[in-house]
Amino acid sequence: MQASRKELAQRVLLALAVAGLGLAVLHESARFSALAAVFPRVVGVSLVILAALLLMQSILGKGLASGHSESMGHFAGGSRFRSAGFVVVLLCWAFLLPTVGFIVTSSIAFVGILLIATERGTDWRITAKRAVLGLIVIGFFYGLFSMLLNVPLPRGRLWALL
Amino acid sequence: MEILAYLAAALTFENLLYALVGVVLGTAIGALPGLTATMALAVLVPFTFTMAPASAMIALGAIYTGALYGGAYSAILINTPGTPSAIATTFDGFPLTRKGEGSFAVSLACVSSVAGGLIGGLLLLMLAPPLATLALAFGPVEYFWIALLGLTLISAISEGNVLKGLIGGCIGLLLSMVGAAVMGGDLRFTFGTPHLVGGVEMISALIGLYCIPILIDLVAEPERGLFTGKRTTHVPLRRTLKASWDGKVNLLRSGAIGTLVGALPGAGGSIASLVAYSEVRRSSRQPEKFGKGAPEGLQATESANSATVGGGFIPTLVLGIPGTPPDAVILAAVMVQGVRTGPELFSSHADIAYTFIFGLLIATIFMFPVGLVLGRWAYNIVADLPKALLVPTVAFMCVIGSFAIHNNINDVRMMVVLGVFGWLMSRLGFGPSPIVLGLILGPIAEQGLVQGFLIGGASGNVLGMFFGRPISLVIILLILLALAYPLLFRRSRRGNYDASE
């Protein structure tokens, strides 16, 4: 009973959030010119209608199931700390790339994710071998992209200052 | 008789070599997440400038065909569609990989792609002029409805809840509006940030929304590798050929759908594979197994998306209007060669046009051995890699792939942010496909809607403009069918359940 009440509350909150998003879009579209406002308004109104239907569906307890769910969430569960650690490393990687440079950030991030993803009880020598292999992969793709495909990978503003 | 002369011209050693090398290079580039068929063509196009026009077109067609099939590797093995056409490939391809059937999935995708490519090529050969006339009958309103059909289909077939699918589609449409408006030119939803003026890059969104959530979940799991059960390491050729023969009707139908939808400039690949997937599921006696590793689903999507190559060339060659972005690159390369595509191509440069079409068919046949060999190799690499090495390697490919699209760091940031957003949305029951398709189809839908309003307003009949044209009515009927499908599906499933009880 507790779980279903919690689930219902979550669904109602989700419907309200979707309705809020639709209303925000409608509010924001008031600033646009007539031509540019047509489509956002249509989408905003659609979101509000869909939120109302979602709310009704939640209250009536019926879902319009389509038969299968996409391949997402197949691995639900596991360690939240590892997931959070991975997200933090990814964000740092993306935001430090122009400052610290491609090779340094990628090498550190690669080893960081490798350590987070390593299964428990793995010998440190195996981890070290994997890290070296990873650095070789980075070197190979750096060469491929920067030399063969002429992609100007960031060298890092930090190194220019030193 | 002339046709045989064109076939002989396509079968020279030089052309065969260009076709083979093109397929290998295209497959290798297309297999890397973030590197699309368009990019493969753009990078390799300068090498064709010294070739004869027909040979250059054969080489480019082969690269395109290979890259499109290569995109299936990442979709099947790591749930990351390299191109929008491969979105539906993830539905059953990745579940097959998770079951240890990745080698079978990659082989089946190869045979299905070859079948679809041949159907598309043959239809291009036979039906190019009439199909191009049909594509010309599509006005802005029809494009609006076809975009809406794409969104409705994906909501109805890709997620457990249709309403959430439609909401996901609307969120994708909102993302497509970020930046300068396609109509009016206003800056929308940029929140004063210059980084958002250019909008949300489609490929980085594709990589982020599909790949990052899978990586986040993989990291959380304690297992050593991607596969926990038994897996096949060899190419199950006999089983693949048997499954392909059993699914011949599905392959033919999906190939025809791919060619027809591919002939529509702009919307092509992503919608074609969804329509084919929806159709095979609708006609199946066991629709509930789709999305859990049904080989028929994989056959339908791969056949349809490979057939869009031939379909996309119909408006490109006959009208001079590129059907897809890779067609635009090929069109530009052909113009550099001094050949003008358009209605007179098949009369004034028939030798080039027909030699190219035969070359495309030959390249598609080459894809069979190349795809099987490269597919087995790619699968074994992914299968043997420990997760601790696979996750950072794929993350690295995502970062470098996103950056390489426009050499822009903001694309990498967008990819990561959307990836985390996609993961959170998946916790709430929203799949990535409706969001991505909303992002892709948003500009087409907006342009069609606003232009339709303007034209309808000028003629004093807005309703007639949207609901009074025959092609529009057919598409609206299909939309209604797609929306009603989950209800019918639930009723038929309940009927089956009652019968079994």
Side-chain angles (χ1 to χ4, degrees):
Chain A
M1 194 67 181
Q2 276 288 336
S4 67
R5 194 172 288 176
K6 192 181 164 192
E7 212 170 88
L8 179 68
Q10 277 177 348
R11 286 182 188 172
V12 170
L13 273 177
L14 181 66
L16 291 176
V18 173
L21 178 66
L23 291 172
V25 171
L26 287 173
H27 178 260
E28 186 74 3
S29 67
R31 294 193 306 108
F32 306 147
S33 66
L35 276 182
V38 176
F39 199 55
R41 280 180 191 156
V42 171
V43 175
V45 170
S46 306
L47 277 171
V48 173
I49 294 170
L50 288 168
L53 290 172
L54 196 64
L55 195 64
M56 273 171 56
Q57 196 187 69
S58 308
I59 291 166
L60 295 174
K62 287 177 182 174
L64 196 59
S66 66
H68 85 264
S69 55
E70 257 183 89
S71 338
M72 299 297 301
H74 280 185
F75 327 101
S79 163
R80 284 185 186 179
F81 290 110
R82 281 169 177 252
S83 300
F86 175 68
V87 170
V88 169
V89 173
L90 264 185
L91 288 169
C92 291
W93 192 352
F95 283 88
L96 290 176
L97 207 55
T99 314
V100 187
F102 181 82
I103 289 194
V104 177
T105 41
S106 298
S107 305
I108 294 171
F110 195 102
V111 175
I113 296 173
L114 189 143
L115 291 174
I116 292 169
T118 298
E119 60 277 16
R120 266 185 214 149
T122 307
D123 189 353
W124 68 269
R125 275 168 291 206
I126 293 174
T127 308
K129 270 185 201 168
R130 288 174 181 174
V132 171
L133 208 61
L135 295 179
I136 293 170
V137 169
I138 291 177
F140 170 75
F141 279 102
Y142 183 81
L144 178 75
F145 275 78
S146 67
M147 289 165 202
L148 210 67
L149 300 175
N150 283 324
V151 175
L153 295 167
R155 289 170 182 224
R157 290 193 288 269
L158 194 67
W159 310 115
L161 293 172
L162 293 175
Chain B
M1 224 38 190
E2 269 183 21
I3 285 279
L4 289 177
Y6 301 140
L7 175 62
L11 284 170
T12 61
F13 174 74
E14 202 180 17
N15 285 342
L16 291 176
L17 187 69
Y18 289 145
L20 181 64
V21 173
V23 167
V24 173
L25 287 176
T27 309
I29 294 179
L32 301 173
L35 297 191
T36 61
T38 314
M39 192 174 174
L41 285 165
V43 168
L44 298 171
V45 85
F47 295 105
T48 65
F49 289 158
T50 53
M51 299 176 188
S55 304
M57 284 174 79
I58 288 172
L60 291 170
I63 294 165
Y64 182 15
T65 311
L68 216 57
Y69 165 64
Y73 288 170
S74 49
I76 292 169
L77 300 177
I78 53 171
N79 200 46
T80 305
T83 59
S85 316
I87 288 174
T89 305
T90 59
F91 294 172
D92 285 296
F94 191 60
L96 274 169
T97 301
R98 289 287 295 176
K99 286 182 192 171
E101 299 269 28
S103 186
F104 172 60
V106 168
S107 310
L108 195 63
C110 175
V111 175
S112 307
S113 293
V114 171
L118 288 176
I119 293 165
L122 288 171
L123 288 178
L124 169 67
L125 193 67
M126 294 183 292
L127 300 174
L131 281 179
T133 317
L134 178 74
L136 264 189
F138 271 65
V141 174
E142 282 77 13
Y143 277 109
F144 167 70
W145 287 122
I146 201 107
L148 223 58
L149 173 66
L151 280 175
T152 320
L153 277 176
I154 194 120
S155 306
I157 64 177
S158 70
E159 185 49 55
N161 185 312
V162 176
L163 279 181
K164 284 186 178 176
L166 291 171
I167 292 169
C170 285
I171 291 172
L173 292 176
L174 282 179
L175 286 174
S176 79
M177 289 181 227
V178 173
V182 281
M183 303 295 288
D186 301 38
L187 287 182
R188 299 183 301 194
F189 308 114
T190 57
F191 308 106
T193 318
H195 302 312
L196 291 175
V197 171
V200 176
E201 216 300 314
M202 190 182 69
I203 301 297
S204 34
L206 206 74
I207 296 173
L209 285 166
Y210 277 99
C211 199
I212 299 299
I214 291 290
L215 293 182
I216 294 174
D217 285 330
L218 270 178
V219 162
E221 282 188 333
E223 284 88 14
R224 181 184 176 274
L226 184 60
F227 311 103
T228 48
K230 274 205 280 183
R231 65 179 172 93
T232 47
T233 49
H234 62 288
V235 178
L237 191 59
R238 193 174 291 177
R239 188 180 159 205
T240 305
L241 292 176
K242 187 183 179 305
S244 302
W245 179 250
D246 291 344
K248 54 187 177 296
V249 176
N250 177 18
L251 288 175
L252 280 170
R253 182 180 51 209
S254 305
I257 291 172
T259 312
L260 283 172
V261 182
L264 302 174
S270 49
I271 294 182
S273 49
L274 286 173
V275 174
Y277 187 81
S278 161
E279 188 49 34
V280 68
R281 213 183 94 170
R282 189 196 59 75
S283 58
S284 170
R285 286 182 188 164
Q286 296 168 292
E288 67 281 356
K289 68 180 184 177
F290 283 79
K292 294 167 189 156
E296 298 89 341
L298 185 63
Q299 284 176 316
T301 57
E302 277 306 297
S303 173
N305 92 43
S306 288
T308 58
V309 175
F313 276 121
I314 291 171
T316 312
L317 297 182
V318 181
L319 305 173
I321 302 168
T324 57
D327 288 333
V329 179
I330 294 177
L331 187 67
V334 169
M335 285 165 84
V336 170
Q337 296 274 359
V339 178
R340 284 190 79 84
T341 58
E344 73 274 15
L345 177 75
F346 284 84
S347 49
S348 58
H349 290 291
D351 54 333
I352 294 172
Y354 285 109
T355 307
F356 163 65
I357 295 172
F358 281 122
L360 200 64
L361 288 168
I362 292 163
T364 308
I365 293 167
F366 278 149
M367 208 161 70
F368 181 64
V370 170
L372 286 182
V373 173
L374 288 183
R376 184 190 173 190
W377 183 65
Y379 172 67
N380 284 337
I381 285 180
V382 172
D384 290 336
L385 267 185
K387 195 180 66 185
L389 208 50
L390 179 71
V391 173
T393 306
V394 176
F396 173 73
M397 295 306 300
C398 290
V399 169
I400 200 168
S402 307
F403 181 82
I405 303 164
H406 295 303
N407 303 334
N408 190 340
I409 194 69
N410 289 323
D411 292 338
V412 180
R413 290 171 181 165
M414 188 63 79
M415 182 273 293
V416 173
V417 170
L418 282 177
V420 177
F421 170 72
W423 182 71
L424 293 172
M425 292 293 280
S426 74
R427 304 290 101 184
L428 296 170
F430 292 90
S433 300
I435 304 174
V436 168
L437 214 71
L439 179 63
I440 295 167
L441 298 176
I444 301 170
E446 177 168 14
Q447 213 163 342
L449 177 76
V450 179
Q451 283 180 351
F453 262 118
L454 289 174
I455 300 168
S459 59
N461 186 10
V462 176
L463 277 181
M465 185 72 203
F466 280 90
F467 300 98
R469 293 156 65 99
I471 299 178
S472 295
L473 287 174
V474 172
I475 305 172
I476 292 168
L477 190 70
L478 291 173
I479 291 172
L480 293 175
L481 278 174
L483 281 173
Y485 176 74
L487 278 174
L488 299 172
F489 171 76
R490 200 166 57 169
R491 189 166 292 176
S492 80
R493 199 169 51 168
R494 199 179 292 158
N496 289 344
Y497 178 74
D498 290 345
S500 68
E501 281 288 290

